[in-house]
Amino acid sequence: MAPPQLVANYERLKAEVVNPRADQKTIGQLLTQLKIALTEARLLIPGSNSSLEDLVLTRDVLELGAFWSVRNKDIPAFDRYFSQLQTFYVDYPTQLPPSPREYPLIGLNLIRLLTQNRIGDFHTTLETLPPNVLGENPFIQHPVHLERWLMEGSYNKVWQEREAAPSEEYKFFVDSLMKTIRREIASCEEKAYDSLPLSDAMSLLFFTKQSELMIFAQERGWNVNPSTQIIHFARKTEEKIEIPKQKIIVNSLAYAKELEQIV
Amino acid sequence: MDVDTKPKPVVSVPTPDAEKPVVKAEPIAPNVEIKQNLVLIDRAVTTLEPRFTHRVLRTLTHLRKKLNDEVLSKAVEETYTKDSPAKAALFQYLSAPAAMDIDLPNGDAKPQPVVVSDPLPEGDTYIRLLILLHLSASKETTEKAMALAHETVERIQALNRRTMDAIAGKIYFYLARLYEVTDRLAEIRPLLLAAHRTATLRRDADSQATLINLLLRNYLHYNLYSQADKLVSKSTFPDSAGNPQWARYQYYLGRIHAVQLSYTQAHTELLQAIRRAPTAKTAPGFWQTVHKFFIVVELLMGDIPDRALFRQPVLRKPLEPYLQIVRAVRIGDLSHFQSALQTYTAQFQHDKSYTLILRLRHNVIKTGIRSISLAYSRISLRDICTKLSLDSEEDAEYIVGKAIRDGVVEGILDHQKGVMVCGRKGDVYSTAEPGEVFGRRIGFCLELHNESVKAMRFPLNAHRKDLASSEAAREREKSIAKGIAEGEIDDDDEMDF
């Protein structure tokens, strides 16, 4: 059984999280204390003889911790919480009552993978979800749509969808997502246009102020003509085709060697 | 062998599909065959030649259909000594009363040869495998089959004999199969993992290969791709494994890599799986499943599968949904794609290819843009929008921009006029591409040649004869050389003249 001190701390944590004026630092300290207590009670990594209530308690603590770390933009901590939670979601699906926070957390994790451009992991996670959840759950639908539009290039839709996040926490990832999108769009523009008026570039990149655009243009090394207000993209000059001597020699020698072995 | 002297008629088992294979029309009574097989296994053990065991195991598929309680009790009766404990244990699993004097169908009066000793453990395991096969055929006996399988696995691990590996692999396979049939796959995972560790330590390549495949299948059944991936990276698949196991392994690898978006790798692996798989007629299920994934991966890579593939008799019907998808991708028609996807959703979900097919959406768009860029030298974004049934012009602009960046089309966007100006693709033959492809193909052929040379089998000691003759040849050569040396002098002498 979980020690009373642990349960008391857990109740305090629950109260603090709901409290809108709560101090984030206090929650952080509470979480640390709880994690130490859980480890001592051998609950952090569930064994076979833990009671159901204790497991649910542990899961709740970890879930709250995961949300807290997202709110404080501590992504590595979120990663740790989430991998600890995996055990509860994957190995105890029938024993434990389903958690209402499971899919929001999975959705958050999906967005995180998306912003870090880990598309392979993103899809691996998607495969583990049952098809009806994939098609209906709003928390999962959001990242799935985002990914599809990113792959297609419908950046416009991504921009609009950003406001329609299903829960508060999702917005914490929006900033980094926007950075990813801008980078993508910018690289497309460099290839697809010869030149682009400043005002159009601003709307394409979803900037509201010209100064922001100028900073961005500088970062990418674009050539802005101040009098005509037009951005010129440096075309890559036709690269000279060189004969790959080294490679041809290596290949021919290999053929000769193999042929000699055969004959 | 007394096996051969037995009268062979006994057309007791007219199997329904007996009229098809005309080639080997000489049905042997199952009991005779079991006996022959036991002899072969004995020989395999004494000569340490796994080839014979493999030959025995190849007969399993067709022998399986002929098994029944009667045949098996008789086999047990004939193989074990009169009151061996093993016999009694096995009879527990057979429902037919252990009637000793079953009237034999061929009614031969020849007295049964008296069995003097129990068979070798390998033979024992083989008999158990047969009983296991029979028990797992019907639902009522599944429990019994599981008990037998567990008992046999324990025996195998205790005995630890290398000559048993091939049969052990089969036992593991059917044990896992039983768990799959009863939908309890998750429970057997620890046992399989432990068995795999043991097999690896004992360098038991056959069981190792089977077990890795079973584990992968187990993980993929629950869509645990990351675990499966970890297993693959942490274990080594034995090179000496048989073709069927290799085919399965490649197929699982292909599926894992397809999910992780490494399509090129997945493509090679699935292709290997297809090449290594038995022909379409012997294993139609595997053939169909691999092809389903192969087609989807090929589409994801931006290629269109060969039309002839869908005309093969085994593949035509199950691949029908995939054909619709391929058609939609080929012409770049999004609405056709959506409707095909909706019609066959259940089928795709059952095949576990649904999420992969969902990813095809942007491939459809890309193909659409490419075909437009080939047909037009200049087209407005609005027209692209209507042609590809996209939602808005802004979307079209971003999508075309991305396509240009990804190198799908050659062209330039003009934002003010809202048009795409298409360029011409350069000549491939002016690049190093053909040379690279040529190099790859030559490499493949050379490797094939080397592999075939390695795979050749030579009879033992046959080289002695060659050695002897070469010895003689060398002698002859020496004398000739001598002769020439003398002759040379002669020549020189002549020259002098």
Side-chain angles (χ1 to χ4, degrees):
Chain A
M1 278 315 288
Q5 174 67 29
L6 186 89
V7 179
N9 267 347
Y10 165 61
E11 294 300 333
R12 251 184 80 202
L13 175 71
K14 268 210 289 197
E16 287 285 340
V17 169
V18 188
N19 184 0
R21 283 173 297 127
D23 184 16
Q24 296 294 331
K25 262 193 191 150
T26 346
I27 300 184
Q29 278 162 3
L30 262 178
L31 275 169
T32 322
Q33 282 171 20
L34 272 168
K35 273 194 286 186
I36 296 171
L38 283 174
T39 320
E40 280 165 359
R42 296 178 178 226
L43 281 170
L44 207 54
I45 296 149
S48 49
N49 48 3
S50 318
S51 76
L52 272 191
E53 295 95 69
D54 289 353
L55 287 179
V56 172
L57 188 151
T58 318
R59 191 180 66 182
D60 279 354
V61 171
L62 290 175
E63 281 172 343
L64 292 174
F67 278 125
W68 175 83
S69 51
V70 171
R71 246 174 249 138
N72 288 285
K73 308 204 170 158
D74 188 354
I75 303 304
F78 174 76
D79 203 8
R80 281 195 297 278
Y81 279 116
F82 191 77
S83 22
Q84 280 170 336
L85 277 169
Q86 283 289 1
T87 326
F88 293 92
Y89 294 148
V90 178
D91 295 339
Y92 294 91
T94 44
Q95 289 98 317
L96 293 183
S99 158
R101 304 191 197 94
E102 176 175 351
Y103 288 116
L105 275 175
I106 293 180
L108 275 176
N109 187 41
L110 285 175
I111 296 218
R112 174 184 73 98
L113 292 174
L114 212 53
T115 50
Q116 294 174 343
N117 218 0
R118 285 160 61 182
I119 307 291
D121 292 327
F122 179 88
H123 282 287
T124 319
T125 318
L126 273 194
E127 288 290 332
T128 54
L129 300 173
N132 61 328
V133 171
L134 214 57
E136 287 152 23
N137 195 307
F139 297 106
I140 305 298
Q141 282 273 291
H142 182 66
V144 167
H145 280 156
L146 287 184
E147 191 266 351
R148 189 173 306 160
W149 291 328
L150 277 178
M151 289 308 278
E152 264 173 36
S154 315
Y155 299 117
N156 202 17
K157 284 194 186 133
V158 180
W159 180 254
Q160 286 159 8
E161 184 76 5
R162 148 192 84 109
E163 296 302 329
S167 103
E168 254 330 281
E169 277 78 13
Y170 281 63
K171 298 205 171 138
F172 290 98
F173 283 108
V174 162
D175 284 343
S176 52
L177 191 64
M178 266 12 271
K179 264 188 210 141
T180 319
I181 297 181
R182 284 212 179 103
R183 253 201 325 271
E184 284 280 306
I185 299 178
S187 69
C188 290
E189 282 176 355
E190 283 163 11
K191 287 276 164 56
Y193 300 92
D194 278 333
S195 61
L196 199 62
L198 271 181
S199 54
D200 292 335
M202 215 157 78
S203 61
L204 280 174
L205 285 164
F206 310 111
F207 280 118
T208 43
K209 285 194 216 106
Q210 192 158 339
S211 52
E212 284 172 346
L213 174 65
M214 296 310 280
I215 296 167
F216 187 76
Q218 230 164 23
E219 276 172 21
R220 309 264 333 169
W222 290 345
N223 190 359
V224 185
N225 189 332
S227 58
T228 49
Q229 298 277 302
I230 287 177
I231 306 175
H232 291 282
F233 301 107
R235 282 264 131 199
K236 260 200 272 172
T237 44
E238 287 285 308
E239 60 243 57
K240 259 193 199 159
I241 301 166
E242 271 186 53
I243 298 171
K245 298 170 213 140
Q246 189 81 25
K247 217 169 169 187
I248 291 177
I249 293 172
V250 168
N251 272 347
S252 313
L253 282 177
Y255 299 156
K257 203 179 108 206
E258 293 281 345
L259 266 180
E260 198 157 48
Q261 278 179 3
I262 294 173
V263 182
Chain B
M1 275 184 283
D2 68 343
V3 185
D4 297 323
T5 55
K6 273 200 175 178
K8 41 175 111 137
V10 210
V11 198
S12 56
V13 218
T15 39
D17 52 346
E19 64 256 12
K20 259 195 273 172
V22 209
V23 205
K24 272 194 184 172
E26 214 178 85
I28 327 168
N31 273 103
V32 181
E33 201 170 344
I34 293 175
K35 243 181 171 179
Q36 275 177 349
N37 285 341
L38 284 173
V39 171
L40 276 177
I41 289 177
D42 273 1
R43 198 190 296 166
V45 176
T46 42
T47 57
L48 289 179
E49 181 72 80
R51 195 156 48 95
F52 295 116
T53 317
H54 284 292
R55 197 199 290 173
V56 169
L57 292 179
R58 265 203 297 276
T59 61
L60 268 186
T61 16
H62 78 99
L63 193 59
R64 181 182 187 163
K65 289 181 197 134
K66 303 182 197 162
L67 292 177
N68 55 39
D69 281 328
E70 195 186 313
V71 169
L72 285 170
S73 354
K74 197 165 160 250
V76 172
E77 191 61 42
E78 282 174 2
T79 347
Y80 293 88
T81 48
K82 193 129 186 121
D83 32 46
S84 113
K87 182 154 94 179
L90 286 183
F91 268 122
Q92 281 175 11
Y93 294 106
L94 295 167
S95 55
M100 303 300 144
D101 45 2
I102 301 163
D103 211 9
L104 301 174
N106 51 359
D108 68 334
K110 203 164 63 171
Q112 291 293 328
V114 184
V115 194
V116 277
S117 67
D118 270 355
L120 289 167
E122 283 77 10
D124 174 49
T125 316
Y126 177 63
I127 295 282
R128 279 162 176 272
L129 174 62
L130 290 181
I131 299 178
L132 181 61
L133 274 179
H134 170 60
L135 288 180
S136 53
S138 84
K139 273 217 171 80
E140 293 100 61
T141 47
T142 319
E143 282 301 315
K144 261 190 187 175
M146 257 189 210
L148 175 66
H150 274 294
E151 196 190 306
T152 316
V153 164
E154 271 165 34
R155 280 175 67 96
I156 292 171
Q157 294 197 343
L159 282 165
N160 185 16
R161 286 165 73 107
R162 287 293 69 73
T163 38
M164 185 125 71
D165 291 349
I167 308 176
K170 284 276 170 199
I171 299 268
Y172 283 124
F173 175 79
Y174 284 104
L175 177 65
R177 176 77 195 141
L178 283 170
Y179 272 90
E180 192 177 337
V181 171
T182 45
D183 203 18
R184 285 161 55 191
L185 266 182
E187 290 169 36
I188 200 186
R189 227 180 276 152
L191 191 150
L192 291 180
L193 282 168
H196 174 244
R197 271 200 301 275
T198 323
T200 314
L201 287 176
R202 291 178 179 170
R203 295 186 180 276
D204 169 1
D206 286 310
S207 307
Q208 218 177 320
T210 318
L211 285 165
I212 290 184
N213 280 336
L214 288 174
L215 279 167
L216 285 179
R217 186 183 175 81
N218 201 319
Y219 284 132
L220 292 194
H221 181 82
Y222 294 102
N223 289 329
L224 297 171
Y225 285 90
S226 50
Q227 273 93 326
D229 185 40
K230 278 185 195 122
L231 175 72
V232 169
S233 61
K234 298 275 186 293
S235 64
T236 40
F237 195 78
D239 276 333
S240 55
N243 249 353
Q245 297 300 343
W246 261 111
R248 284 198 189 103
Y249 186 64
Q250 297 274 15
Y251 158 69
Y252 293 131
L253 281 189
R255 272 184 66 183
I256 295 171
H257 286 132
V259 166
Q260 293 175 337
L261 290 101
S262 350
Y263 300 130
T264 326
Q265 214 176 341
H267 186 260
T268 342
E269 281 151 0
L270 289 172
L271 195 67
Q272 284 295 327
I274 289 175
R275 286 195 186 135
R276 281 180 190 266
T279 49
K281 266 189 189 146
T282 31
F286 185 76
W287 190 255
Q288 288 159 2
T289 319
V290 181
H291 270 99
K292 282 175 189 167
F293 282 98
F294 182 66
I295 288 168
V296 178
V297 168
E298 194 151 76
L299 285 177
L300 281 169
M301 287 175 66
D303 295 337
I304 303 295
D306 196 3
R307 182 69 179 80
L309 200 64
F310 297 95
R311 291 209 195 91
Q312 290 183 23
V314 185
L315 297 178
R316 191 190 292 152
K317 224 171 144 199
L319 289 190
E320 177 60 28
Y322 293 86
L323 178 61
Q324 296 304 326
I325 295 287
V326 172
R327 274 199 188 128
V329 176
R330 200 175 66 86
I331 49 178
D333 184 348
L334 257 189
S335 54
H336 187 147
F337 176 74
Q338 289 295 0
S339 70
L341 191 62
Q342 257 157 25
T343 331
Y344 298 109
T345 304
Q347 167 83 41
F348 292 142
Q349 279 177 356
H350 176 258
D351 291 344
K352 300 207 170 184
S353 57
Y354 184 65
T355 44
L356 287 180
I357 292 177
L358 277 183
R359 291 188 210 163
L360 275 174
R361 207 184 117 90
H362 73 266
N363 278 57
V364 181
I365 297 177
K366 267 191 204 164
T367 331
I369 295 179
R370 182 150 52 183
S371 56
I372 289 177
S373 84
L374 289 178
Y376 295 83
S377 60
R378 194 184 179 83
I379 182 168
S380 76
L381 288 172
R382 180 171 306 147
D383 288 341
I384 294 181
C385 197
T386 45
K387 268 177 194 300
L388 297 179
S389 46
L390 298 173
D391 291 344
S392 66
E393 257 176 81
E394 286 85 39
D395 272 345
E397 184 164 356
Y398 284 122
I399 291 172
V400 172
K402 192 170 190 302
I404 294 175
R405 188 199 62 174
D406 294 345
V408 179
V409 289
E410 291 274 315
I412 286 272
L413 278 172
D414 191 335
H415 186 77
Q416 280 105 325
K417 294 181 188 140
V419 292
M420 171 172 91
V421 182
C422 311
R424 284 280 152 261
K425 258 216 147 142
D427 183 16
V428 193
Y429 284 94
S430 63
T431 63
E433 180 89 10
E436 275 166 32
V437 174
F438 179 69
R440 262 209 307 280
R441 291 185 186 171
I442 296 255
F444 177 77
C445 291
L446 288 173
E447 203 179 319
L448 187 71
H449 174 266
N450 290 344
E451 290 289 318
S452 342
V453 170
K454 272 189 213 159
M456 277 199 246
R457 293 182 60 90
F458 299 98
L460 272 177
N461 297 336
H463 63 286
R464 291 250 173 91
K465 238 186 249 168
D466 284 356
L467 270 186
S469 61
S470 69
E471 198 73 3
R474 210 169 297 146
E475 283 296 314
R476 227 181 5 255
E477 217 166 82
K478 250 186 213 164
S479 65
I480 290 173
K482 220 187 218 170
I484 289 177
E486 283 163 6
E488 255 176 10
I489 299 164
D490 286 353
D491 281 355
D492 283 350
D493 289 349
E494 273 167 40
M495 286 294 276
D496 278 351
F497 276 109

